[in-house]
Amino acid sequence: MLDGLWARGRVPVAVIAVLSLVSLSCGGDSGGGTGPTGPTGPTVTSIQIGGAPASLQVGDTATVTATVRDQNNAVMAGRAVTWSSTNSAVLSVSPSGLLTATGAGNASVRAAIGSVSDEKAIAVALRPIASIEIVEAPEELELRDTLTLTAVLKDAGGNELTGRAVTWTSTDPSVLSVTESGFLTAHTAGDAEIQVSADAVADTTEVTVHPWAIADEVVVVDSTVLSLLSDSTERANGDLRFEVLGGATPPEIEVGDILVGIQSGGFLRRVETVSVGGGLVTTTTSDATLVEAITDGAFQTSVRLGTDDTIIPLTPGLGGLVYDRSQVTYLDPNTVLTPSGISFKGDLCNSGAVQCPVG
């Protein structure tokens, strides 16, 4: 019947609609479409970090874990996550989740699989200082001595703490000064305490600064007691004669002593022979060096600088002596320095503008 209707083009619209529905429900023609899809596998939906502490101290370690769940909230065992830190200078994390607190500050540890992740914030603090100690603190110094002090800081467990700022102070900077870095300078004789502190923890050491001293064998000739009589020829030969003034008691002078004086341009000589009598002290002498005359201190003598006789404090320095005036440094023989146009030779003999003491 339908064949006839198709042939005559007279198939009712309702019949066409029913046939179309039947065709769709049966999958259409044999060219076929896609059927309904089956159920999908588990998909990572959430990550939760466990074991993360809210705070750590520098040097502490902790291990964190990550729980991975799918779209059905089921745990996905064995799924590896990628660990990272938002600030590795404060907190580092290993591929296995081992945390290490490396510096004071704030950071977050992060676990991720693709675009799914979780983070935990962690505050890192410095370890408290339990003790501080000055290392090899000196008990005594000489004038103009310098020394750099160091301090060791430890926590309650006895572990040494590094990188901490400390404060150095002196109870009397006029005697002994100290810089921010712990550099000491002895200025005048006396006592002072040096303190180092950090976070209300402190250590103190007392230091005595001694005045300068000269070698035991040095005899400083007092011009009010002994008057030098030797002429320039005698002095050049090392023969020094002194008159004892006003019945004064002459100093005790022995063979091997070093005579130091300011008369006639100054002299620094080692005694070879000595005789006392008739109000005179007569000596024969040889050359002596300034370094021989000083043990750990200084004395004053004169050196003729051009036209003026000047008293110059002589003080020990690295490898020799330092003259306060123009900061001329005596190093060793054959060394010549020329500060301010003045030259000194190691043996203090005539050089440049300097007229060295006769004898």
Side-chain angles (χ1 to χ4, degrees):
M1 175 179 175
L2 287 175
D3 289 341
L5 292 174
W6 283 116
R8 294 193 296 271
R10 295 172 61 189
V11 180
V13 174
V15 174
I16 295 174
V18 170
L19 293 175
S20 297
L21 289 173
V22 172
S23 175
L24 289 172
S25 65
C26 293
D29 60 17
S30 59
T34 59
T37 59
T40 60
T43 302
V44 175
T45 305
S46 68
I47 299 174
Q48 184 177 14
I49 295 176
S55 63
L56 291 171
Q57 292 181 348
V58 173
D60 285 348
T61 59
T63 299
V64 288
T65 61
T67 301
V68 182
R69 297 181 183 274
D70 64 13
Q71 68 273 29
N72 297 315
N73 203 34
V75 175
M76 301 176 69
R79 292 301 299 266
V81 300
T82 299
W83 294 101
S84 61
S85 169
T86 59
N87 189 346
S88 58
V90 173
L91 186 71
S92 65
V93 59
S94 72
S96 63
L98 177 65
L99 301 177
T100 302
T102 54
N106 296 293
S108 293
V109 59
R110 184 173 186 267
I113 297 177
S115 61
V116 182
S117 65
D118 187 25
E119 285 189 8
K120 295 294 182 183
I122 299 175
V124 178
L126 293 173
R127 304 190 77 82
I129 299 171
S131 67
I132 183 170
E133 181 180 3
I134 300 174
V135 178
E136 297 181 358
E139 295 182 355
E140 299 175 318
L141 291 174
E142 305 289 345
L143 285 176
R144 296 195 182 179
D145 278 353
T146 58
L147 178 69
T148 298
L149 295 177
T150 58
V152 174
L153 292 73
K154 294 183 179 180
D155 62 16
N159 302 303
E160 186 172 339
L161 304 174
T162 60
R164 302 296 184 90
V166 299
T167 300
W168 294 94
T169 57
S170 170
T171 57
D172 193 344
S174 66
V175 172
L176 191 63
S177 65
V178 61
T179 67
E180 295 178 354
S181 62
F183 184 76
L184 290 180
T185 302
H187 299 287
T188 59
D191 298 315
E193 289 186 354
I194 299 298
Q195 183 184 82
V196 60
S197 60
D199 294 348
V201 181
D203 186 27
T204 302
T205 184
E206 184 173 343
V207 181
T208 297
V209 178
H210 294 290
W212 288 320
I214 61 176
D216 292 338
E217 64 268 28
V218 170
V219 176
V220 179
V221 176
D222 185 346
S223 61
T224 66
V225 175
L226 296 180
S227 175
L228 182 63
L229 301 178
S230 301
D231 59 26
S232 58
T233 301
E234 290 175 310
R235 295 196 303 271
N237 292 329
D239 299 326
L240 301 183
R241 293 184 297 112
F242 301 91
E243 178 186 1
V244 181
L245 299 178
T249 300
E252 183 177 345
I253 300 175
E254 299 178 350
V255 172
D257 285 347
I258 296 175
L259 297 182
V260 177
I262 64 174
Q263 300 177 59
S264 299
F267 50 86
L268 177 65
R269 307 289 297 181
R270 186 173 291 280
V271 177
E272 301 296 337
T273 65
V274 58
S275 63
V276 179
L280 296 176
V281 176
T282 303
T283 65
T284 59
T285 64
S286 59
D287 291 336
T289 68
L290 292 171
V291 174
E292 289 177 306
I294 299 177
T295 54
D296 54 6
F299 62 90
Q300 292 186 340
T301 188
S302 67
V303 175
R304 182 172 297 167
L305 303 176
T307 59
D308 65 320
D309 289 333
T310 305
I311 300 296
I312 300 179
L314 307 178
T315 63
L318 181 63
L321 302 168
V322 176
Y323 295 75
D324 281 354
R325 178 164 177 165
S326 301
Q327 293 298 300
V328 179
T329 302
Y330 172 94
L331 295 174
D332 54 55
N334 304 317
T335 296
V336 178
L337 301 179
T338 56
S340 304
I342 300 174
S343 298
F344 282 83
K345 265 197 172 183
D347 56 7
L348 286 184
C349 288
N350 294 324
S351 175
V354 178
Q355 300 176 19
C356 294
V358 177

